[in-house]
Amino acid sequence: MTQPETLTLDGSVERIVHVAPDGTTIARLTRTEPDASPATIVVAGLALEGVRPGETLRVTGQWRVSHRYGHTFRVQDCQQVQPASVYAIRCYLGSGLIKGIGAKYAQAIVERFGTETLTVIDQSPHRLLEVEGIGPVRLEKITTGWAEQRAIREAMIFLQGVGASLALAARIHHEFGSDTLRVVQHEPYTLIDRVHGIGFKKADAIAKNVGIPEHSLIRLQAALLYVLDEQRANTGHCFSYYSSLLAEAAKEADQPAEMLVDPLHRLRDQRRVVIEHLSNEPDGVVVYPAWLHRAEVAVADHLVRLMHGTSTMPPAVQRHLDSGTLGERGGVVLDEHQRVAVSMALTSTVSILTGGPGCGKSFTVGAIAAAARAGGATIALTAPTGRAAQRLTELTGMPAHTIHRLVYGRRDAAESGELFTVGDALAADLVIVDEASMVDVTIAAKFLAELPTGCHLLWVGDVDQLPSVGPGRVLADLLDTDRIPRTRLTTIYRQGPGSRIAQAAHQVLQGRRFDNNAEVWFVAVDEQAHPTLVDLVVDMATRRVPAKQNVAPSDVQVLCPSKRSTNGATVLSRTIQDVLNPHQEGQPEYWADDRPFRVGDKVMPIRNDYRRGERGVFNGAVGTITDIDLTERRVRVLLDDQQSALYEFDELDQLAHGYAITVHRSQGSEYPYVVIPLSRRDPYILLRRNLLYTAFTRAKKAVIIVGHDSALSMVLGKPTARRNTCLTARLAEQLFDRAPVDGARQLPVF
C-alpha cells in the first residue's frame, strides 16, 4: 500500500476544535502559502498542543480521512512562523494575542500598512498613531504587548530547542518571564515545583539537554524532593519512610539507592528535609519536607497551648449552662448528645463535634452559638471554603469567614498599618471551625497561631468524609488523641428530601449495598459495551435528569473521583460544555492551553484572591463568564455572591470549568442533584468508601451513580486509607499519654 505523501503547509489558526487529554489537538487552519487558495482545513496531532488562534504555523504531515472531520491533515511537526500575508497578519493581530488590538483595530492597521504591518509595529510603532482610534494610551498597550510577544517567541525557540513542547514552553515562560533562560539553563529542576505539568522526567530531559550531569548533586536531590512531594500530593502524606523514599528516588534517577544517601543527608543539612526516628512507627526512620515538619509541630504546640490556657469565656455563659435552659432551640428539643455537645464546647477550651449527614451537627452548632451569645460571649465562625462559610452564616445568622480570610486578612491589615478593633474576628471567646475534615496541616498551623490563649476552639466536621486536599488528617488525628473532649452524634434526624441519601451514605461507610429509590439510584452499565462512561454521564446530566425532575441542567452537578482519567472531570467538563454552551461563530472565545472559555461558561475560582472583585474571590465559589474582551485580553466573571471579577488571559489558570468537578473540590458545597461516574479506569487509590460517601453527602435531593458494577463493589470493599502523619503522637507526648517522638538516630546505611 502506497504511503501518503509528506507535505509542509503554512496557515493561520482560525480556532481550536478539540484538545484530547493527552494533548492531541484538532484545529481549523486557513492556508496562507503564496500559491495556495485561502481554504480552511482541519489539522490534527499531538505536535499542535499549545497552539492558539491567530498564530501562523508551518506544519508537516500527511492527508488522512477522519470519520468525524473528513479530509484531515495529520501533523507530525509544527513550528511557529512570522505571518507574511495580509490575511495572516490580520488574523494574528485580531486574535487577542497582543493586548490593545482586537478584530476592529487589526483590520484598520492592516488596511493602513498592508504586508509592512509587523515591520511598522516592531521598528516604527509611533506610526500606529496614523490609524484612526489609536491614541497614546492604546499605542502604549500595543507596544508593551508586542514586546511581550517578541520575548515569548524568542523564549519558545530556545525552549523547543531543549525539548519543551509548544504548550510547555508557553507555561514555562508565563511562570518565569524574562528570567526563563537563566532558570532553564542553571536551575532546570525548579520547573518541577513552579510549572504545572512538569514532573521529574520532563525536567530531567531538559536538564540533560542543557548539560546537567546525571550524577550531579542537584539532579539526585531533585529526584528525592520530587518523590517526597509526589507522595504528599497524591496521598496526603506528611512524611515518607526513609528506605522507600530512597528506593523510589533511585527509580526516578535510574541510579543505585546508595547514590541517594549522601544527597538526602545534605538536604537535611541544608534544612530542606527533617529526618526523624519515630518510636511509635514500625519502620522507624521517616523523612519530612522541612516546611511540613514545621507545620505539624506548630499545630501540636498551639493545640496544647490552647488546651492548657485559662478560659476567657464570660461567667454569664456558665450561669446560662447551669440554669438548665439548653433543652430546646427554636421549639425543637435537643437530645442528650446534643446537650452534651453544647456544654462541652462552652466549658472546654478545645473540643470536637463530629457525626454523619442528617445527625444534627448544623443544628447543634446553631444551639452552641445561641447559648454563647446569650451569655455575652463573642463568637468567630469560620470554614475552609467560601461556600461552607456562607452556609454557616445562613445557619446561625452570624457572619462567617473563610479560614484564609481570617488569617491573611489580619496580616494584610497589619501590613497596611491598620489596628484591630473589638470586632476583630479572632479576638473571640469562642471560635467554631465548620467542615473541619477539609483543614490540612499547613492551614491549621497558620490558623491556630492567630488564636489567643484562653479562647474556646470547637472543631466541627464529619471525619468519615474525604480528608483535606492538602497534607495531613488534622480532624482524624485530633479524634485519635484521647485527651481532647469530643461528642459524636449518631442519630439520623433528617426527614423529607435528603433523608434516604443520608441513610445510603451511612450504608456506603459500612461497605453495604444501598437499594435504589427515588433519591439514590445506581445505573449499572455493561463494562464491555461501555468502557468509557462519558456519553452516558453527559446525557444523564444534561438531558435525562433535568427532564425527569423538571429542573434546569444547572441544578445538576457531575462529581468525579478523579480529574484526568478517561471519565474524569477534565474530559466530562469539556464535553458537557460543548452540549450546554457550544462554540458559536462570531462569538468571542479564548483558548487557554486545552480549555476554551466562552461567554455563559460555568466556572470556579481555584485560588483565594482577597484583592480581586469587590469583596475577594474564594476557592470553591461558582460563577458565570459574562464577557470576553479579546482586545483587552481579559474575562469578566459574575460570581454567585453577585460580585464581578476580572481575569487577564494569562490568569485563567486560576479558573476551572465547573460543569464537572472532582469530589474533593465539591467539599463544603451542596447541589440539588448529583451525578457520579464510577469506573475501574479511575485511579485505584481513589476508589474508596469515603470518596463515594463524600459525594453522596453533597446532594440535597437525589444522587445518581452511572458506572460499572465491579467498580461499585471495589469502592464498597475498600475502607479509608491511612495517611502518614505524626500529629497524634506529638500531642500525646505533650499531654503525657503516649510514646514520645525522638530525634533521628541509628540511620540505616547501605
Side-chain angles (χ1 to χ4, degrees):
M1 185 175 180
T2 305
Q3 284 291 103
E5 182 183 3
T6 299
L7 303 171
T8 297
L9 311 176
D10 286 0
S12 176
V13 180
E14 291 287 341
R15 78 177 185 91
I16 309 298
V17 176
H18 179 72
V19 180
D22 67 352
T24 298
T25 301
I26 301 170
R28 296 195 178 275
L29 192 79
T30 299
R31 295 180 64 175
T32 57
E33 308 103 278
D35 57 347
S37 60
T40 299
I41 62 173
V42 176
V43 293
L46 184 59
L48 294 169
E49 182 185 10
V51 302
R52 295 179 290 178
E55 291 178 334
T56 301
L57 307 178
R58 179 161 294 149
V59 294
T60 300
Q62 299 92 28
W63 287 105
R64 306 278 186 176
V65 176
S66 163
H67 73 279
R68 182 169 183 179
Y69 297 103
H71 216 41
T72 302
F73 193 76
R74 300 293 302 184
V75 177
Q76 297 171 335
D77 185 60
C78 170
Q79 294 179 327
Q80 288 182 335
V81 296
Q82 188 89 324
S85 70
V86 169
Y87 176 83
I89 293 171
R90 186 171 69 245
C91 289
Y92 176 68
L93 294 180
S95 66
L97 288 171
I98 300 173
K99 194 169 186 176
I101 304 180
K104 172 186 172 183
Y105 286 106
Q107 178 71 29
I109 292 170
V110 172
E111 285 181 355
R112 176 69 182 86
F113 300 111
T115 57
E116 298 299 312
T117 294
L118 299 185
T119 302
V120 169
I121 297 175
D122 192 50
Q123 299 179 11
S124 308
H126 63 277
R127 292 193 59 195
L128 293 176
L129 295 172
E130 300 172 19
V131 178
E132 184 177 356
I134 295 181
V137 175
R138 187 168 298 277
L139 176 62
E140 177 64 25
K141 285 184 180 179
I142 294 172
T143 303
T144 301
W146 178 259
E148 290 173 353
Q149 285 301 310
R150 181 169 53 194
I152 290 172
R153 286 196 300 274
E154 292 170 354
M156 290 292 189
I157 294 171
F158 168 76
L159 290 169
Q160 287 183 275
V162 296
S165 66
L166 274 173
L168 209 53
R171 290 200 292 271
I172 293 171
H173 185 270
H174 173 63
E175 176 64 31
F176 295 104
S178 60
D179 208 26
T180 297
L181 301 187
R182 184 195 65 79
V183 169
V184 172
Q185 287 177 322
H186 301 289
E187 303 172 21
Y189 295 104
T190 304
L191 303 178
I192 298 172
D193 298 325
R194 300 276 297 276
V195 182
H196 171 71
I198 296 186
F200 181 79
K201 295 299 184 188
K202 288 184 179 179
D204 199 39
I206 292 172
K208 181 179 179 181
N209 287 332
V210 298
I212 303 294
E214 66 174 9
H215 293 121
S216 67
L217 179 64
I218 63 168
R219 179 175 185 268
L220 299 179
Q221 288 186 333
L224 287 160
L225 293 173
Y226 173 71
V227 171
L228 204 56
D229 193 62
E230 281 294 284
Q231 292 194 4
R232 173 200 61 80
N234 294 334
T235 63
H237 291 328
C238 287
F239 64 75
S240 299
Y241 290 100
Y242 185 93
S243 56
S244 66
L245 172 62
L246 290 176
E248 290 299 316
K251 288 181 184 177
E252 289 290 339
D254 193 24
Q255 298 292 322
E258 57 265 24
M259 290 286 295
L260 280 298
V261 175
D262 180 63
L264 177 57
H265 286 227
R266 290 200 186 197
L267 285 172
R268 179 195 58 189
D269 296 340
Q270 296 164 5
R271 298 186 179 181
R272 298 171 71 184
V273 303
V274 174
I275 303 175
E276 277 191 332
H277 185 284
L278 306 182
S279 56
N280 65 316
E281 287 287 344
D283 290 341
V285 182
V286 301
V287 183
Y288 280 83
W291 59 275
L292 258 181
H293 184 268
R294 287 194 298 269
E296 192 177 84
V297 170
V299 169
D301 289 347
H302 285 300
L303 282 169
V304 171
R305 170 179 63 84
L306 292 169
M307 290 182 69
H308 289 165
T310 301
S311 172
T312 58
M313 191 68 70
V317 173
Q318 185 61 51
R319 290 196 295 271
H320 187 62
L321 284 173
D322 295 339
S323 70
T325 58
L326 296 177
E328 64 176 53
R329 178 191 169 216
V332 179
V333 177
L334 300 176
D335 72 16
E336 180 182 356
H337 289 94
Q338 290 171 327
R339 289 196 298 271
V340 168
V342 174
S343 178
M344 172 193 71
L346 299 180
T347 56
S348 301
T349 50
V350 177
S351 59
I352 306 166
L353 173 62
T354 188
C359 291
K361 290 195 306 299
S362 298
F363 183 79
T364 306
V365 167
I368 292 169
R373 190 160 44 183
T378 56
I379 307 169
L381 303 176
T382 187
T385 68
R387 273 297 184 89
Q390 185 177 348
R391 287 173 51 208
L392 193 56
T393 296
E394 294 166 358
L395 167 72
T396 62
M398 300 171 59
H401 305 278
T402 65
I403 293 176
H404 288 83
R405 169 67 81 184
L406 289 183
V407 173
Y408 293 106
R410 289 165 59 90
R411 288 198 184 145
D412 291 345
E415 289 171 3
S416 66
E418 296 178 13
L419 297 176
F420 293 105
T421 66
V422 176
D424 175 13
L426 290 188
D429 301 309
L430 172 63
V431 178
I432 299 176
V433 183
D434 200 12
E435 297 285 358
S437 63
M438 299 170 61
V439 179
D440 66 51
V441 69
T442 57
I443 296 299
K446 294 182 176 70
F447 171 63
L448 292 171
E450 301 290 330
L451 298 185
T453 302
C455 80
H456 287 224
L457 171 62
L458 175 66
W459 302 91
V460 182
D462 184 351
V463 74
D464 294 316
Q465 287 193 30
L466 286 171
S468 55
V469 176
R473 53 191 298 273
V474 174
L475 181 62
D477 283 342
L478 298 188
L479 283 167
D480 285 344
T481 304
D482 298 337
R483 296 276 183 100
I484 299 179
R486 81 285 310 277
T487 301
R488 176 182 277 272
L489 305 179
T490 57
T491 304
I492 299 177
Y493 288 100
R494 184 179 294 168
Q495 302 296 326
S499 60
R500 292 185 177 180
I501 297 173
Q503 293 168 3
H506 285 279
Q507 288 175 312
V508 166
L509 273 186
Q510 297 161 7
R512 295 163 48 203
R513 286 262 179 166
F514 46 86
D515 296 326
N516 281 6
N517 56 63
E519 294 181 11
V520 182
W521 67 92
F522 173 54
V523 181
V525 176
D526 183 82
E527 195 167 347
Q528 299 301 318
H530 298 282
T532 174
L533 305 172
V534 172
D535 291 341
L536 296 173
V537 171
V538 170
D539 185 56
M540 185 70 71
T542 62
R543 186 183 65 83
R544 291 175 60 184
V545 172
K548 181 177 181 178
Q549 303 295 336
N550 193 28
V551 297
S554 58
D555 285 329
V556 183
Q557 182 63 57
V558 176
L559 300 183
C560 306
S562 65
K563 182 178 179 181
R564 298 197 176 276
S565 69
T566 54
N567 301 297
T570 299
V571 172
L572 279 165
S573 200
R574 177 77 178 83
T575 310
I576 294 172
Q577 178 193 34
D578 276 345
V579 173
L580 299 181
N581 192 28
H583 169 79
Q584 297 183 44
E585 292 295 337
Q587 294 299 311
E589 176 180 283
Y590 183 78
W591 282 75
D593 289 337
D594 58 350
R595 301 178 300 147
F597 287 84
R598 300 166 184 152
V599 173
D601 272 343
K602 178 182 179 180
V603 293
M604 301 175 66
I606 60 175
R607 298 179 193 168
N608 294 314
D609 188 337
Y610 308 102
R611 293 178 175 84
R612 196 181 300 275
E614 296 93 41
R615 297 180 297 280
V617 171
F618 300 98
N619 181 4
V622 177
T624 302
I625 293 179
T626 58
D627 182 58
I628 297 176
D629 190 331
L630 295 176
T631 301
E632 298 301 319
R633 293 178 55 79
R634 63 190 183 190
V635 166
R636 184 178 295 276
V637 177
L638 180 64
L639 296 165
D640 50 6
D641 61 0
Q642 297 306 303
Q643 65 171 322
S644 181
L646 286 173
Y647 288 84
E648 302 291 327
F649 281 177
D650 60 5
E651 297 176 320
L652 291 178
D653 60 342
Q654 299 181 37
L655 286 180
H657 286 86
Y659 299 103
I661 61 176
T662 62
V663 178
H664 255 122
R665 186 163 293 286
S666 73
Q667 288 182 270
S669 299
E670 288 185 334
Y671 313 96
Y673 301 91
V674 165
V675 175
I676 307 165
L678 206 57
S679 166
R680 292 179 70 96
R681 293 193 172 196
D682 286 308
Y684 178 82
I685 195 171
L686 295 176
L687 295 180
R688 296 184 179 274
R689 293 176 195 168
N690 60 344
L691 180 133
L692 192 57
Y693 172 84
T694 303
F696 273 37
T697 60
R698 300 306 93 202
K700 292 191 286 188
K701 295 184 178 180
V703 174
I704 305 96
I705 306 97
V706 179
H708 306 140
D709 192 82
S710 61
L712 179 59
S713 296
M714 180 190 295
V715 169
L716 295 177
K718 289 173 62 182
T720 303
R722 171 83 188 209
R723 290 182 167 186
N724 291 345
T725 70
C726 204
L727 178 57
T728 299
R730 297 186 196 285
L731 287 167
E733 176 189 0
Q734 296 191 57
L735 297 173
F736 307 105
D737 62 357
R738 295 222 185 136
V741 177
D742 299 328
R745 61 173 182 268
Q746 297 178 351
L747 298 181
V749 295
F750 291 87

